[in-house]
Amino acid sequence: MIVTDFILIRHGQTKENIEGRLQGHFDGSLDETGIRQAHAVAARLAGEHAAALYSSDLKRAYKTAEIIARNLHLPVRALRELREWHLGELENRPCRELWREYPEIMDCFLHDSDDVAVPGGESFSKFNQRIADCLESLTEKHAGERIILVAHGGVMRAGFRYIVGRTGCNLLPLLSNASYSRFCKRDARWQLCTWNDVSHLQSIGVRESVTF
């Protein structure tokens, strides 16, 4: 049996997270708490033996990955395919406004949904397909190995949809900043192993932050 392991880390906290702004491809940076979170998850990963470390090329994810990379002595491989859902005209706007103006699009962050077009951005179906294709491509490239991906909440929920096969209107799980999750592929079958573990954040006295 060939087992390919994926450890998925959500980026640390940003100012936009705290302000309740939708980020998408908006290229915000980690705040002070986000940097502390990144160091905490890096310490947790110090004992992991991974073949590669991939990251979204957006700053909030890439900086998190750089901090992790120092403990693992691995280079960070930037992967544009791991970027957050591109949300065009919605990016860097407060979520409270967007729920009023674009409720169907916002609902996609929490539920499985029919396809939704995003003004100036990426459709829901294209985003999900991008993440599914990325996971399958990495599985072929790293068959039988363990790799670490540093990405975004939307990316990880798209991965969840793909491997678990969620359909309909069921509530999708939220994710905390700097959380640890794990998928694996055993031959042709995907398995969810761990989701949104934040036990490593207790050591730095930072409360769990669940944000878009």
Side-chain angles (χ1 to χ4, degrees):
M1 176 181 291
I2 298 175
V3 179
T4 307
D5 242 349
F6 288 79
I7 294 173
L8 296 99
I9 306 297
R10 188 185 176 195
H11 64 79
Q13 181 178 285
T14 66
K15 175 173 67 77
E16 290 75 25
N17 286 146
I18 295 303
E19 293 175 350
R21 290 180 175 273
L22 202 61
Q23 294 179 92
H25 284 195
F26 177 77
D27 207 8
S29 301
L30 299 184
D31 63 14
E32 182 179 341
T33 295
I35 291 172
R36 291 174 64 201
Q37 290 172 331
H39 280 286
V41 75
R44 174 179 183 152
L45 292 170
E48 299 281 2
H49 299 287
L53 171 60
Y54 289 93
S55 174
S56 159
D57 61 351
L58 294 174
K59 285 188 293 189
R60 58 192 184 274
Y62 196 83
K63 178 62 176 179
T64 304
E66 284 185 320
I67 292 171
I68 292 169
R70 294 172 199 158
N71 277 18
L72 298 180
H73 307 292
L74 283 172
V76 181
R77 305 185 192 185
L79 201 59
R80 188 180 176 86
E81 289 83 353
L82 288 174
R83 282 189 172 201
E84 182 60 285
W85 186 6
H86 182 208
L87 293 169
E89 296 174 16
L90 283 65
E91 293 181 351
N92 198 29
R93 292 188 56 195
C95 290
R96 63 181 181 277
E97 294 179 4
L98 296 174
W99 274 109
R100 293 194 297 268
E101 296 179 35
Y102 302 99
E104 291 183 356
I105 296 173
M106 296 298 289
D107 195 59
C108 286
F109 281 97
L110 301 178
H111 300 82
D112 285 327
S113 176
D114 294 331
D115 194 18
V116 175
V118 179
E122 187 176 22
S123 74
F124 183 59
S125 61
K126 287 185 178 179
F127 168 59
N128 282 295
Q129 190 61 54
R130 165 163 65 87
I131 302 307
D133 290 345
C134 181
L135 290 175
E136 290 294 349
S137 174
L138 290 171
T139 300
E140 291 181 12
K141 185 173 183 177
H142 294 283
E145 297 178 330
R146 173 180 294 149
I147 62 174
I148 299 171
L149 311 183
V150 182
H152 310 269
V155 169
M156 294 173 68
R157 285 190 288 274
F160 182 96
R161 290 184 189 97
Y162 180 62
I163 70 165
V164 178
R166 290 290 285 261
T167 58
C169 296
N170 296 312
L171 189 69
L172 285 169
L174 291 174
L175 278 163
S176 301
N177 290 111
S179 59
Y180 173 107
S181 300
R182 190 163 69 89
F183 306 156
C184 69
K185 191 172 187 182
R186 300 176 184 273
D187 290 335
R189 301 187 66 177
W190 285 97
Q191 180 178 348
L192 177 64
C193 305
T194 306
W195 186 260
N196 199 44
D197 184 349
V198 292
S199 56
H200 49 281
L201 298 183
Q202 296 175 7
S203 65
I204 60 170
V206 174
R207 292 183 60 187
E208 175 183 0
S209 54
V210 180
T211 59
F212 278 134

